[in-house]
Amino acid sequence: MDELVCIVCPRGCTMHIEKQADGVFAVTGNGCKRGEQFAVSEMTAPMRTICTTVRTAFPASPVLPVRVSAEIPKDRIFDVMREINKVCVKKRLHRGDVVIPNVLGLSVDVIATSDLLREEGR
């Protein structure tokens, strides 16, 4: 049996997850259906998001905040970060602009989360 603290809502329910003989997960301790779905997802295919920065070619703004446009498999975080670390933004971007399209074929883009570079040029 595994124990997990739910992060879906502020309640932070402590859940217990047990894989049954038929391969189905039994979840107890969850305060809502979303907690149960989170627990099963964590046990079968955990997903995460990434928020970080990329280098830029602009001395006044040496980094630009970015994030992935959707969750990625937890075991691919370091692979995605290696791709992000290869990037140096050389043009001014708007919030939401794609920095890396379809990173590693995961059907997820790395996008800018700030108009920082756009504002610098005003």
Side-chain angles (χ1 to χ4, degrees):
M1 181 176 293
D2 290 295
E3 185 176 283
L4 180 67
V5 175
C6 185
I7 60 169
V8 175
C9 76
R11 290 168 118 181
C13 298
T14 299
M15 300 181 292
H16 298 278
I17 306 101
E18 185 172 5
K19 189 171 185 177
Q20 300 175 332
D22 59 2
V24 174
F25 289 94
V27 179
T28 58
N30 56 299
C32 66
K33 191 73 173 167
R34 291 185 316 156
E36 179 181 0
Q37 293 166 347
F38 170 74
V40 171
S41 172
E42 279 297 291
M43 300 308 293
T44 57
M47 302 291 280
R48 295 292 185 272
T49 189
I50 296 176
C51 297
T52 188
T53 57
V54 293
R55 289 177 294 129
T56 77
F58 302 95
S61 299
V63 294
L64 174 72
V66 296
R67 68 174 174 85
V68 288
S69 60
E71 291 184 326
I72 61 168
K74 182 180 176 182
D75 63 352
R76 299 299 306 270
I77 289 174
F78 292 108
D79 298 330
V80 171
M81 283 302 301
R82 276 190 285 280
E83 292 302 306
I84 290 171
N85 289 335
K86 293 177 185 176
V87 172
C88 181
V89 174
K90 294 181 170 92
K91 64 179 184 175
R92 300 198 183 279
L93 298 174
H94 302 274
R95 178 179 293 129
D97 285 352
V98 175
V99 177
I100 306 173
N102 190 22
V103 64
L104 297 175
L106 295 172
S107 299
V108 172
D109 299 328
V110 175
I111 60 173
T113 61
S114 171
D115 285 329
L116 182 68
L117 294 180
R118 189 175 132 237
E119 292 170 1
E120 179 186 290
R122 288 185 180 170

